[in-house]
Amino acid sequence: MSCCAPGAETALDLNGATWVLPSSQEIRLASRSLGDDLRQTDLSVPTVHCAACIQTIEAALGKLDHVESARVNLSTKRVAVRWRGDEVPPFVAALGRLGYEAHLFAPEIDDKDKTLAELIRAVAVAGFAAGNIMLLSVSVWSGAEGATRDLFHWVSALIAIPALAFAGGIFFRSAWNALRHGRMNMDVPIAVGVSLAYAMSLYETINHGDHAYFDASVSLLFFLLIGRTLDHVMRERARTAVKGLSQLAARGAMVLRGDGARDYLPVGEIEPGMRMLIAAGERIPVDGKIIQGTSDLDCSLASGESTPKNVAPGEAVQAGVLNLTGPLTIEATAAAKDSFLAEMVRLMEAAEGGRAQYRRIADRVSALYAPMVHLTAFVTFLGWIVATGDWHRAMTIAIAVLIITCPCALGLAVPIVQVVAARRLFENGIMVKDGSAMERLAIVDIAVFDKTGTLTLGQPRLVNAPSIDPAMLAVAADLAAHSRHPFSKAIAGFAIPGGQLKFDAVTEHPGFGIEATDAGSTWRLGRRGWAGWKARTGGEAKHGYGGTVLTKNGMIVASFAFEDALRVDARAAIDQLSDARVPVEMLSGDTAAACAEVAKSLGIDNFVPCLLPSGKLERIETLAKVGHRVLMVGDGLNDTPALSAAHVSIAPATAADVGRNAADFVFLRESLLAVPLALDVSRKAGSLIRQNIAVATLYNTIAVPIAILGHATPLIAAIAMSASSLLVIGNALRLEGFVRHAPAETVANDRHSNNGGRVQL
Amino acid sequence: MRTLAYLIPGTLLLGGLGLSGFLWALKSGQYEDLDGAAERILVDQEDKPER
């Protein structure tokens, strides 16, 4: 850990305190067998940065017993560890000691990205063919005649075959797919243009003609494939980054058998009636009932309640809530497929609304464009036959029209802008799942926010610290350091360095608080009723009986008030959205009082409290029905159906796994300014896309008459097509200058993001 | 014309060599961790080569 402290990417250091090491059973469950007793585990290590990190990690892991090899992939920020034997080597703990937080990665059967490999291979083949054919074409243009020209044409025709078969296959398949389903996409005119151009050029070559368009058809494929590959790389990077976030859902649980044996079972194998042990810091895997133990549960991710809930035996618990303070024994009342989580997924799948109906700009344009182009070519053909009666000439000119209008620029106009925009967002810690998300975000007219975990951090903050005796606050902070309860963590932040008291025997009473003795006196930090057993409760009723107090020998010496800490820049983000003419609404599962407070401090006029997940969904659907295009920003399990029902959705990296997967955008940094930034970039990308389409159309209105009149030669076609593509790409790059520059904190990351821009080309 | 008879095949052969070289590099996973490859040059490796 020399050159770059892992802290540099604090945004990824999400919920450090609630992070528990995955148990060895869990690691074994998430590893895959390579045969011959060898197993591989993939870990996501978001904080690897540089050569020193690679060396430290690989050396440290390589030294562990039974570890066969460890290999860091810096681009994806993952470590692949290969190990043998029954015992799982303690590699997560070893990484933790080095200061790297590691998350287990779901085993992937198909490790390599097949589509990307196919695209890159196609680009390589098309590039090779385009280069060589262009070389031959230049000789033809500069005056090769007779047998030499024919030879060059024949060689070009030969080189073009593998390019068309291999690189063109991607377009042919997509075009065929679209036509078969009665739809139209940009690939249809491309496929028609390329194959007709090739066929006619071959005919010309056989008849010793000079109108061969081999160069045009192959370089068209080459340009389009570059755009398509960049687009794919960008989306894949975003998806990899999102997949690398820590998994929040439980992967399995320790099941207590009737005979006292303990087994670690994957979530899918837990059946109703089984008893599970849930340690403090673990999430509850399936719905259940508490048999034994008391604890505090953090329900913020499941229901949106910000205050931890105190639970005792007999109470029901939902899958997905986090056990904070004490160990619990739970009897499963539902299997995973019937649990809360699965219900959310079902609601989410049923809600798939706005985005499924959305048709991408490129598809809408091509639905207009393709028939027009094909009709123009056909009319040209008829016109020339009527005018001259020369079949061959009419055919040549009609195909020249098709080639000139082939949507090279149009095919690049949209993806190139989206690649540049996605990269801009990536540098600011915002991951875009696909290009259509940006198109959809650009047209939203109302934003709906979840409260807990989205507008707020879902973590309490001590509000009355200045009014508390500093000495007492220091005592409380020292005590609080022993607990993972969110209130304790908030108080522990006020510890005075060095001034530690020596407590004897600190014990945590789950559900109540922390107790410690020091020189004969007993200190307690926790619920009023438990800690202040000598005090007359009832006074200071403002915080209720549940208020948190510090007591010395039963006498209250300090009381603490908390509020849910607002996310960084929440207010600024809401203001910016309002400036962008996107009104904001807040939907929450939390109480009306808690919502009102947050709404007031953020200046939000509309909010609906106490909503069930289906209530949020209904609200979104109502808004959509009256014609609004809704942006949903949320993190909880209970937001998931709403996230997928909305026109477009954004989730923070701290969101529940399902929510993260359902959302179109995921932002990794803490600041909520990511939302207006994404909106801003998307809108600018939208206007650039329109400009690009206008440029491409303008090009056609100039070039098409030339082609119709029969003046298009292969040379003119080649120049016109390349020029329009370059124009469109140049216009897309203007987006880089448009958008506000990233705040200073991103500088550390920029180097890495920039490297990623240098794609495999 | 005679020169073309060996120059064109020669060009294509060299180009094809480059192409197959790239495809081989792609297949053998050399493009999977570009950032890592750039940084690894700074790592002092022990003398014994990796398996």
Side-chain angles (χ1 to χ4, degrees), chain A residues 345-702:
Chain A
V345 173
R346 264 196 298 280
L347 264 177
M348 179 180 104
E349 278 162 2
E352 213 78 64
R355 77 186 63 179
Q357 289 154 22
Y358 181 79
R359 290 181 64 225
R360 301 196 53 174
I361 294 178
D363 291 343
R364 276 180 284 161
V365 170
S366 61
L368 277 175
Y369 184 84
M372 225 163 73
V373 166
H374 294 158
L375 200 70
T376 313
F378 188 64
V379 169
T380 311
F381 176 67
L382 289 184
W384 276 93
I385 285 188
V386 172
T388 63
D390 183 349
W391 277 85
H392 177 242
R393 191 159 177 209
M395 195 70 197
T396 316
I397 291 171
I399 287 177
V401 169
L402 264 189
I403 292 170
I404 287 276
T405 55
C406 211
C408 187
L410 218 50
L412 279 174
V414 180
I416 285 293
V417 173
Q418 287 176 345
V419 166
V420 177
R423 202 185 132 199
R424 199 90 199 103
L425 291 177
F426 192 94
E427 283 166 10
N428 287 287
I430 306 166
M431 309 290 124
V432 192
K433 298 273 191 58
D434 67 300
S436 95
M438 272 187 272
E439 295 176 15
R440 283 181 276 130
L441 182 58
I443 52 172
V444 294
D445 52 13
I446 186 163
V448 173
F449 281 80
D450 164 51
K451 182 180 80 74
T452 316
T454 307
L455 288 173
T456 70
L457 286 173
Q459 289 160 8
R461 194 169 59 90
L462 189 60
V463 283
N464 63 343
S467 67
I468 299 171
D469 177 4
M472 290 303 119
L473 188 57
V475 173
D478 289 341
L479 265 175
H482 294 92
S483 165
R484 61 166 76 231
H485 192 285
F487 285 174
S488 301
K489 282 193 278 178
I491 298 176
F494 289 90
I496 298 164
Q500 237 116 23
L501 279 166
K502 283 276 172 284
F503 289 121
D504 314 317
V506 180
T507 48
E508 183 165 16
H509 298 265
F512 296 104
I514 312 160
E515 184 180 61
T517 51
D518 158 47
S521 49
T522 307
W523 296 86
R524 278 182 176 185
L525 175 69
R527 326 188 124 241
R528 183 180 296 271
W530 168 77
W533 73 93
K534 279 186 189 159
R536 294 192 180 280
T537 45
E540 289 186 73
K542 194 174 142 211
H543 305 302
Y545 291 99
T548 305
V549 294
L550 176 70
T551 62
K552 186 179 184 184
N553 296 326
M555 299 306 290
I556 295 173
V557 289
S559 74
F560 303 90
F562 299 93
E563 67 171 25
D564 200 358
L566 291 177
R567 196 176 267 276
V568 187
D569 301 325
R571 176 83 207 215
I574 303 283
D575 288 348
Q576 283 187 19
L577 283 177
S578 305
D579 289 346
R581 293 183 309 284
V582 177
V584 173
E585 197 167 293
M586 185 172 89
L587 303 182
S588 179
D590 207 351
T591 58
C595 290
E597 208 169 298
V598 171
K600 201 173 134 233
S601 62
L602 289 177
I604 298 173
D605 299 328
N606 295 325
F607 67 90
V608 190
C610 307
L611 281 174
L612 291 174
S614 54
K616 292 194 180 194
L617 182 60
E618 264 166 41
R619 179 77 191 132
I620 302 260
E621 280 169 350
T622 321
L623 283 171
K625 229 168 251 155
V626 295
H628 282 298
R629 296 208 173 88
V630 188
L631 160 67
M632 172 77 201
V633 188
D635 77 315
L637 277 173
N638 58 338
D639 297 316
T640 313
L643 283 174
S644 73
H647 196 63
V648 61
S649 51
I650 305 184
T654 41
D657 310 56
V658 229
R660 248 161 19 201
N661 294 335
D664 297 303
F665 294 79
V666 175
F667 60 95
L668 303 185
R669 310 240 163 94
E670 203 168 84
S671 166
L672 201 60
L673 282 178
V675 177
L677 180 71
L679 179 70
D680 192 37
V681 171
S682 299
R683 282 187 174 174
K684 281 184 177 132
S687 73
L688 275 180
I689 286 173
R690 281 193 294 279
Q691 277 175 25
N692 269 352
I693 290 177
V695 166
T697 314
L698 188 74
Y699 149 80
N700 275 322
T701 51
I702 297 170

Side-chain angles (χ1 to χ4, degrees), chain A residues 124-402:
Chain A
V125 172
F128 165 78
N132 281 297
I133 294 177
M134 209 38 106
L135 217 65
L136 295 167
S137 294
V138 169
S139 333
V140 173
W141 297 332
S142 39
E145 292 223 307
T148 318
R149 189 183 63 197
D150 281 351
L151 172 71
F152 285 171
H153 280 169
W154 275 114
V155 176
S156 302
L158 273 178
I159 305 173
I161 290 175
L164 283 191
F166 196 75
I170 294 171
F171 296 95
F172 292 137
R173 274 199 300 276
S174 155
W176 172 240
N177 230 341
L179 284 180
R180 215 179 35 180
H181 293 103
R183 282 181 286 114
M184 186 55 89
N185 65 12
M186 203 49 100
D187 293 337
V188 175
I190 293 169
V192 171
V194 167
S195 44
L196 275 181
Y198 186 82
M200 191 211 58
S201 306
L202 203 61
Y203 177 79
E204 281 280 306
T205 306
I206 292 168
N207 292 301
H208 311 291
D210 61 348
H211 277 268
Y213 290 97
F214 295 116
D215 52 355
S217 53
V218 175
S219 53
L220 176 71
L221 287 180
F222 181 49
F223 281 133
L224 291 172
L225 277 171
I226 291 178
R228 206 158 283 209
T229 310
L230 286 176
D231 195 44
H232 183 85
V233 167
M234 207 58 238
R235 272 184 287 135
E236 205 47 46
R237 268 173 78 197
R239 225 170 298 148
T240 312
V242 171
K243 272 196 285 186
L245 296 171
S246 65
Q247 186 181 354
L248 295 181
R251 207 172 253 121
M254 187 65 81
V255 170
L256 274 176
R257 302 283 192 192
D259 55 3
R262 293 174 177 201
D263 275 326
Y264 190 85
L265 291 186
V267 172
E269 290 175 21
I270 295 173
E271 286 159 18
M274 282 186 176
R275 291 187 171 200
M276 303 166 285
L277 274 182
I278 310 289
E282 285 184 352
R283 272 184 201 276
I284 293 171
V286 295
D287 291 355
K289 199 175 75 190
I290 298 175
I291 302 287
Q292 207 183 341
T294 50
S295 179
D296 298 277
L297 298 182
D298 177 359
C299 308
S300 58
L301 212 54
S303 67
E305 286 165 65
S306 50
T307 320
K309 202 165 90 186
N310 194 252
V311 288
E315 284 182 62
V317 286
Q318 268 176 336
V321 304
L322 180 65
N323 181 16
L324 288 169
T325 45
L328 291 174
T329 309
I330 289 178
E331 187 179 287
T333 53
K337 63 179 190 329
D338 305 313
S339 279
F340 178 65
L341 181 69
E343 193 189 318
M344 288 303 107
V345 173
R346 264 196 298 280
L347 264 177
M348 179 180 104
E349 278 162 2
E352 213 78 64
R355 77 186 63 179
Q357 289 154 22
Y358 181 79
R359 290 181 64 225
R360 301 196 53 174
I361 294 178
D363 291 343
R364 276 180 284 161
V365 170
S366 61
L368 277 175
Y369 184 84
M372 225 163 73
V373 166
H374 294 158
L375 200 70
T376 313
F378 188 64
V379 169
T380 311
F381 176 67
L382 289 184
W384 276 93
I385 285 188
V386 172
T388 63
D390 183 349
W391 277 85
H392 177 242
R393 191 159 177 209
M395 195 70 197
T396 316
I397 291 171
I399 287 177
V401 169
L402 264 189

Side-chain angles (χ1 to χ4, degrees), chain A residues 50-51 54-55 58 71-75 112 120-121 124-125 128 132 148 151-152 159 751 755 758 760, chain B residues 1 4 8 11-12 15-16 19 22-23 26-27 31-36 39-40 42-44 50-51:
Chain A
C50 60
I54 295 179
Q55 196 176 21
E58 289 185 354
R71 176 110 188 151
V72 176
N73 184 327
L74 193 63
S75 311
K112 283 187 188 161
I120 292 181
R121 246 178 274 140
V125 172
F128 165 78
N132 281 297
T148 318
L151 172 71
F152 285 171
I159 305 173
R751 192 166 56 96
N755 285 347
R758 187 195 56 203
Q760 294 92 327
Chain B
M1 197 61 189
L4 290 177
I8 290 179
T11 324
L12 290 180
L19 178 66
F22 175 74
L23 291 180
L26 188 68
K27 206 173 168 201
Y31 288 86
E32 262 156 42
D33 182 14
L34 290 176
D35 297 346
E39 298 277 356
R40 265 172 209 279
L42 302 170
V43 176
D44 289 325
E50 242 181 280
R51 271 188 314 115

